[in-house]
Amino acid sequence: ITGTLEVCSGATTSLSDGVTGGTWSSSTPAVAVVGSATGIVTAQVLGFVATGTINYTLPDACSVSAPVTVDPLPQYFIVSVHGNASYCAGSPSTADIRLSGSTPGVTYTLLLGASTISSLPGTGGPLDFGVQTATGTYTIVASNNVTHCSQTMIGNEVVAVNPVPLAFPVSVTGGGTYCAGDVGSAPDVTLGGSESGVNYQLYLNGV
């Protein structure tokens, strides 16, 4: 039996034999199953290392067997943002992306879409990927350094930049002094335009 005899949990691997016409079977379906005609092995989803046995039997009842090792995927941890995920244009970002935990021997990679931003080694504790300024959806993928089995961590964070409102001119008609109670002579403050969804407040001496 030839082919890759080590596979990640939930993944597949293809086996073959130099003699055709045989049938594939699994002695350990709780670990891995195999297509009887194809030799394609599908590993079960396991949280631990396990070894299964795959058999290839010819019509004359002669058979061979091979062990298949199923490696677990990295443990799930939760992606979160400390600070605000969105910030105003022209202001600094406070979107600090973190992972709730990590495992030694596993590398954690921060992705923006499909692009790699940075990678950190597992420490056994939380990880801090720092403040991110680029807009888009951030995810973290964990990969075992030995088996290379990988898994996307729970959750994602969307960093966004909010535009500041447009500036419109402020004009004042009238002004100067006026008599108490004579509202008609009071200065008239006018804003030269406005945007839908924006609230405008008038301040007196900055208050």
Side-chain angles (χ1 to χ4, degrees):
I1 295 176
T2 59
T4 301
L5 297 175
E6 187 171 9
V7 63
C8 296
S9 177
T12 62
T13 184
S14 182
L15 303 181
S16 61
D17 190 87
V19 181
T20 60
T23 301
W24 297 92
S25 63
S26 173
S27 299
T28 51
V31 176
V33 295
V34 62
S36 60
T38 64
I40 296 176
V41 177
T42 301
Q44 302 290 9
V45 177
L46 303 174
F48 51 88
V49 178
T51 300
T53 301
I54 302 299
N55 313 301
Y56 183 69
T57 306
L58 295 173
D60 61 5
C62 292
S63 66
V64 291
S65 300
V68 172
T69 300
V70 176
D71 294 315
L73 302 181
Q75 180 182 349
Y76 278 121
F77 293 103
I78 299 172
V79 181
S80 64
V81 63
H82 288 239
N84 294 316
S86 60
Y87 61 100
C88 295
S91 298
S93 170
T94 61
D96 186 352
I97 295 182
R98 303 180 184 182
L99 190 64
S100 62
S102 64
T103 303
V106 175
T107 296
Y108 297 84
T109 300
L110 178 66
L111 301 173
L112 173 56
S115 300
T116 297
I117 301 301
S118 62
S119 295
L120 293 175
T123 62
L127 298 179
D128 188 345
F129 287 85
V131 173
Q132 306 300 317
T133 59
T135 60
T137 301
Y138 289 84
T139 56
I140 296 175
V141 175
S143 178
N144 186 286
N145 296 341
V146 176
T147 66
H148 303 295
C149 294
S150 63
Q151 181 149 261
T152 301
M153 299 292 94
I154 297 173
N156 60 65
E157 292 296 338
V158 178
V159 174
V161 177
N162 299 320
V164 296
L166 295 175
F168 296 101
V170 177
S171 60
V172 179
T173 57
T177 59
Y178 63 96
C179 296
D182 186 8
V183 178
S185 300
D188 184 12
V189 180
T190 303
L191 185 64
S194 64
E195 292 181 88
S196 177
V198 177
N199 293 321
Y200 297 87
Q201 292 178 301
L202 178 65
Y203 290 88
L204 175 61
N205 296 329
V207 180

